Amino acid sequence: MATYLYKLGRFAFRRRHFVALLWVALLTLAGVGAASAPPAGNSSFSVPGTEAQRAFDLLEQRFPGMSADGATARVVFKAPEGQKMTDAGNKAAVEKTVKELGSGSEVASVADPYTGKAVSRDGTIAYASVKYKVSGMELEDSSRDALKESAGHARDAGLTVEIGGDALTTAPETGSSEVIGIAIAAVVLVITFGSLIAAGLPLLTAIVGVGIGVSAITALATPLDLGSTTSTLATMIGLAVGIDYALFIVSRYRAELAEGRDREEAAGRAVGTAGSAVVFAGLTVVIALVGLSVVNIPMLTKMGVAAAGTVAIAVLIALTMIPALLGYAGRTVKPAGEKSKLLGGGRAAKKAGRPNMGTRWASFVVRRPVTVLLLGVVGLGAAAVPAASLELGLPDDGSQPVSTTQRRAYDLLSDGFGPGFNGPLMVVVDAKGSADKKAAFAEVGDEIKGLKDVVTVTPPAPNKAGDTAIITVVPKSQPSSATTEDLVHAIRGKRASIASATDAKLLVTGATAMNIDVSQKLNDALLPYLALVVGLAFLLLIVVFRSILVPLKAALGFLLSVLAALGAVVAVFQWGWLSGLMNVEQTGPVMSMMPIFMVGVVFGLAMDYEVFLVTRMREAYVHGENPGQAVVTGFRYSARVVTAAAVIMIAVFSGFIGSSEAMIKMIGFGLAIAVFFDAFIVRMAVVPAVLALLGRRAWWLPAWLDRALPNVDVEGEGLRTDLDPDDDRELVSA
């Protein structure tokens, strides 16, 4: 592989006009496709295999036009101090608002508070329920604007008005976060390379790659049902890995120049060596993202595949566009150690003297491997302790900041009708096989009334055919509580007795039940997903490093860093530690998607650092250095750029911590702290300590397996043999 990539790098350097024109043409084509495509809506949301989804599907059949999974909104009214909602003036204002709410093209129905018994017992709070024909993710912005405008008219009449429900759910804005991440990345790159031109290349190529990927997603949004949120993950990951991959190739190019090679040869060798690591690092990220399909949540699968496509583009750009741009840059990109005239006065590379920071740190670890290993493992283990108390759930309006109308509506409804009112359960009774359908409906209602933690059970509402009915159940506890989850399981536990007594089928759905089912589905998929991703990457790393213990150590180190990151997430978002610093206004269960999302993204990025760092160590080892020296050599050449890559990644993810959306805040914090743990503790401390302790055993591979595995030559041994035949260093058989 190294030889092929070496030829590719030289070709791209020589034919830079052709390569640059090709990428510009692809960017233009994708941009034209995105501009001419219809506006991306929000993709349909379904969770195959869950009871809540089966109930929604049944309601679509038995209640045509009902839009059982359609968006809902609750417009909550509170009377001025000393007044009641039943006063004539307040009642008139509400009725006018209800009329305005019902005029929208996507509105299926609006329930008047006064005819629907939606006024609190003390008369101070009332609400109007709005049902839409489409889900919250498919709702047009014009419908949301009309909803807010109607509420504004009621406020003008003197009422306090807040809006809850999923109708206001929108994709969070992240543009400013991306700008912050790019700005910090630019500063880190300038410091790393000492040159504005060299620092600009990774930024330029990453932006081009993300531009092509996101434009392609936009162009294909309608035919592939890709929602506007699909590009969020693609942008985040594509930007981060695009900068990282280009960073490593430019860094290797400068190192080759420092060894006295001409620019075309340096470009070829940089792509042949660092490019090989980029290919396999990219493969691990792609495996992790595509592997999200095992969860069987279509939206998550599409997000993973779209992000994987953007990563693949980033790899191709790093292998071809970077050497082409290096050809254009010419002498403005200096050899390693030299500074540009603008930033360093044209300072020449330092002569051999004091070792760099990476060399000094690696030498210390090699001398004290047991101490470093124990400190690293114990520290990460302590950080992972809170993960034992992990509680999973999906965010609702109760987790929103108190400054939002959704949270204020949630609190008003809790005050007026009880906390469980924010998460009603929808019980669907299929009595098609029952001899006495009405009796079956009544039996189900009576059974549910006998359960604890139930406040209200509405009378059955049958369809026109009279064979299916809906019963609404209001719990005592808030939607995200464990008590409400127990109630859902208790109702479902009545299924067998109901079926035997009435031949009717019972299903529980609604937003609260769907959240519970999604959390359970994600929890059940975590171990299979982890086994698939880690297993495939383990096999891939065996091929890359031609070792059993190095990939095993890489996988175990990753698990340790992920557990530590999950522990930090639990401590902040569930226990409330440092919640003020992180501006976490409401603690509660960790988002159910967080563990599997963190495993997928962090695993791919962690393997990036593993491949880049350890590949340079193996390169030194197979060319004659002893294991301890190889560790130090790997750090001498790679520690600086791995550190820069990790800082860039942390900066990109940390920008999302400032989001007002609890889910985005949690994702940003979780990924940032996971990269910190993995890059600076696992890869920079635990990995060299373990390799120092293992010695030559780290690179052991059974002879039969060595013969069976393909020789991908990531460390460039073939290049050295073909291009440096006079190199008399001994090649070590692993």
Side-chain angles (χ1 to χ4, degrees):
M1 175 178 284
T3 302
Y4 170 76
L5 292 177
Y6 165 79
K7 294 177 181 178
L8 178 63
R10 295 197 61 164
F11 170 83
F13 188 94
R14 287 196 311 271
R15 301 288 185 264
R16 47 188 171 272
H17 301 312
F18 169 75
V19 172
L21 183 62
L22 177 62
W23 283 111
V24 170
L26 288 175
L27 179 60
T28 303
L29 182 64
V32 170
S36 58
N42 289 295
S43 61
S44 57
F45 182 79
S46 63
V47 188
T50 61
E51 178 174 326
Q53 185 63 51
R54 291 197 303 271
F56 280 140
D57 295 340
L58 179 64
L59 289 173
E60 288 290 342
Q61 298 173 13
R62 305 288 175 86
F63 291 81
M66 176 186 173
S67 300
D69 59 347
T72 59
R74 280 177 170 170
V75 182
V76 187
F77 308 91
K78 183 178 181 181
E81 190 69 30
Q83 299 182 26
K84 293 190 176 183
M85 291 306 305
T86 52
D87 293 347
N90 295 334
K91 186 175 182 180
V94 171
E95 289 176 340
K96 181 180 178 182
T97 302
V98 168
K99 185 177 180 180
E100 291 177 358
L101 291 170
S103 62
S105 60
E106 291 185 312
V107 174
S109 63
V110 180
D112 188 304
Y114 302 103
T115 59
K117 298 181 179 179
V119 180
S120 63
R121 288 185 179 180
D122 62 5
T124 60
I125 297 174
Y127 68 91
S129 295
V130 186
K131 183 73 174 177
Y132 291 89
K133 299 174 183 177
V134 296
S135 68
M137 303 186 69
E138 299 171 290
L139 200 63
E140 296 291 338
D141 288 339
S142 58
S143 296
R144 294 191 180 95
D145 293 339
L147 177 62
K148 296 174 184 176
E149 186 176 342
S150 299
H153 293 160
R155 290 192 186 100
D156 294 340
L159 298 174
T160 298
V161 186
E162 306 296 346
I163 306 172
D166 61 350
L168 292 183
T169 301
T170 58
E173 297 292 334
T174 57
S176 60
S177 301
E178 293 161 13
V179 171
I180 293 171
I182 291 175
I184 296 176
V187 173
V188 174
L189 288 169
V190 169
I191 294 172
T192 302
F193 290 140
S195 166
L196 291 176
I197 299 297
L201 295 181
L203 290 174
L204 175 61
T205 54
I207 292 171
V208 170
V210 170
I212 293 173
V214 173
S215 295
I217 291 170
T218 303
L220 298 173
T222 299
L224 298 183
D225 191 26
L226 303 177
S228 56
T229 57
T230 307
S231 61
T232 302
L233 180 61
T235 300
M236 187 189 302
I237 304 302
L239 188 63
V241 301
I243 294 174
D244 276 8
Y245 295 163
L247 166 66
F248 279 95
I249 289 183
V250 173
S251 177
R252 186 60 183 254
Y253 170 78
R254 296 178 72 235
E256 296 292 338
L257 288 179
E259 292 185 8
R261 296 187 171 88
D262 66 64
R263 295 186 177 277
E264 182 178 329
E265 179 69 11
R269 288 183 181 244
V271 175
T273 51
S276 298
V278 165
V279 170
F280 283 97
L283 277 176
T284 61
V285 180
V286 169
I287 288 172
L289 292 171
V290 174
L292 289 171
S293 59
V294 303
V295 182
N296 196 26
I297 295 179
M299 185 182 70
L300 192 60
T301 299
K302 292 171 186 176
M303 290 177 65
V305 172
T310 306
V311 170
I313 292 171
V315 171
L316 293 174
I317 283 182
L319 298 178
T320 57
M321 191 174 181
I322 281 291
L325 293 179
L326 289 171
Y328 284 118
R331 296 183 180 278
T332 58
V333 177
K334 306 293 184 182
E338 291 189 20
K339 303 289 184 180
S340 67
K341 290 183 179 181
L342 178 62
L343 297 175
R347 186 168 69 246
K350 295 179 180 178
K351 300 297 182 183
R354 189 185 182 198
N356 63 19
M357 180 67 75
T359 302
R360 296 198 299 273
W361 169 251
S363 299
F364 170 77
V365 174
V366 169
R367 291 195 307 269
R368 301 284 188 273
V370 175
T371 302
V372 172
L373 179 61
L374 286 176
L375 286 175
V377 172
V378 171
L380 290 174
V385 168
S389 302
L390 177 66
E391 296 178 7
L392 297 178
L394 287 177
D396 55 24
D397 286 348
S399 62
Q400 298 273 6
V402 293
S403 59
T404 63
T405 186
Q406 295 98 316
R407 173 62 184 276
R408 292 195 293 266
Y410 182 97
D411 292 340
L412 284 176
L413 288 172
S414 295
D415 293 341
F417 302 93
F421 197 78
N422 284 288
L425 306 175
M426 186 185 297
V427 178
V428 181
V429 185
D430 179 5
K432 200 168 187 177
S434 299
D436 189 341
K437 296 176 176 53
K438 290 184 179 180
F441 299 152
E443 176 70 18
V444 172
D446 292 340
E447 287 282 347
I448 295 174
K449 287 177 183 177
L451 297 173
K452 63 178 182 179
D453 200 46
V454 171
V455 174
T456 305
V457 178
T458 65
N463 61 350
K464 289 183 179 180
D467 57 7
T468 308
I470 299 173
I471 300 174
T472 301
V473 180
V474 178
K476 288 181 182 177
S477 305
Q478 63 185 18
S480 59
S481 69
T483 306
T484 300
E485 183 175 350
D486 291 340
L487 176 61
V488 171
H489 294 315
I491 295 173
R492 289 172 174 172
K494 296 289 184 180
R495 183 180 294 117
S497 61
I498 293 293
S500 62
T502 65
D503 292 325
K505 299 176 183 178
L506 180 151
L507 298 169
V508 183
T509 188
T512 301
M514 178 63 83
N515 287 352
I516 292 170
D517 287 354
V518 170
S519 298
Q520 187 61 49
K521 189 177 183 69
L522 289 166
N523 193 45
D524 293 342
L526 181 58
L527 287 181
Y529 173 70
L530 192 61
L532 173 68
V533 171
V534 175
L536 289 176
F538 179 76
L539 296 176
L540 184 65
L541 292 178
I542 288 178
V543 175
V544 173
F545 296 127
R546 307 194 76 78
S547 164
I548 297 293
L549 295 180
V550 170
L552 180 61
K553 172 264 308 168
L556 293 176
F558 155 74
L559 292 175
L560 191 58
S561 61
V562 165
L563 286 174
L566 280 176
V569 169
V570 170
V572 173
F573 292 90
Q574 188 175 308
W575 291 359
W577 293 6
L578 301 178
S579 58
L581 180 64
M582 296 293 171
N583 198 26
V584 178
E585 298 185 16
Q586 181 71 30
T587 60
V590 172
M591 183 183 65
S592 55
M593 196 179 294
M594 191 69 194
I596 202 164
F597 185 82
M598 185 181 290
V599 166
V601 175
V602 176
F603 181 79
L605 301 180
M607 293 305 103
D608 279 0
Y609 304 133
E610 179 76 15
V611 169
F612 288 129
L613 191 61
V614 180
T615 296
R616 204 69 194 259
M617 296 178 191
R618 176 170 172 78
E619 181 180 344
Y621 175 73
V622 300
H623 290 127
E625 295 187 8
N626 67 47
Q629 290 174 330
V631 170
V632 175
T633 299
F635 268 76
R636 180 188 309 133
Y637 291 110
S638 299
R640 182 180 178 89
V641 286
V642 167
T643 300
V647 171
I648 289 169
M649 198 80 68
I650 292 169
V652 171
F653 293 143
S654 295
F656 292 87
I657 297 177
S659 173
S660 60
E661 193 75 23
M663 181 177 69
I664 300 300
K665 185 189 295 288
M666 189 182 296
I667 289 175
F669 173 80
L671 294 183
I673 198 70
V675 170
F676 173 80
F677 286 150
D678 196 88
F680 292 108
I681 299 181
V682 173
R683 308 302 154 190
M684 291 292 186
V686 174
V687 165
V690 171
L691 291 177
L693 289 172
L694 290 175
R696 295 185 183 276
R697 290 169 294 180
W699 308 107
W700 170 81
L701 186 70
W704 63 269
L705 185 56
D706 189 28
R707 291 190 298 270
L709 291 177
N711 183 13
V712 296
D713 189 21
V714 174
E715 63 275 359
E717 179 182 334
L719 287 180
R720 191 176 296 276
T721 302
D722 295 340
L723 304 177
D724 300 324
D726 297 330
D727 194 328
D728 58 358
R729 286 186 295 177
E730 177 186 1
L731 292 179
V732 178
S733 174

